[in-house]
Amino acid sequence: MGWFWFLLLVAVVCGFIGVLAKGLIWLLVIGVVIFVGVLVVAGLRYRGHSPRRGRP
């Protein structure tokens, strides 16, 4: 869970720097890609925790 928050923070920081600094729009793109990647991984991780029933 710590990596999730760290990568989320990195994505936000890259996004802010990419928006505020001229010529660094690629940092905004990297931030968006990291953010989407973290959300996808978190979604896949928490989606698979459904209880499975065996055959009686």
Side-chain angles (χ1 to χ4, degrees), residues 14 18 20 22 26 30-31 40 42 54:
C14 284
L20 296 177
K22 285 190 173 185
W26 55 273
I30 290 173
V40 167

Side-chain angles (χ1 to χ4, degrees), residues 4-22:
F4 172 77
W5 291 111
F6 175 72
L7 288 176
L8 199 61
L9 179 68
V10 168
V12 170
V13 168
C14 284
F16 279 139
I17 293 173
V19 168
L20 296 177
K22 285 190 173 185

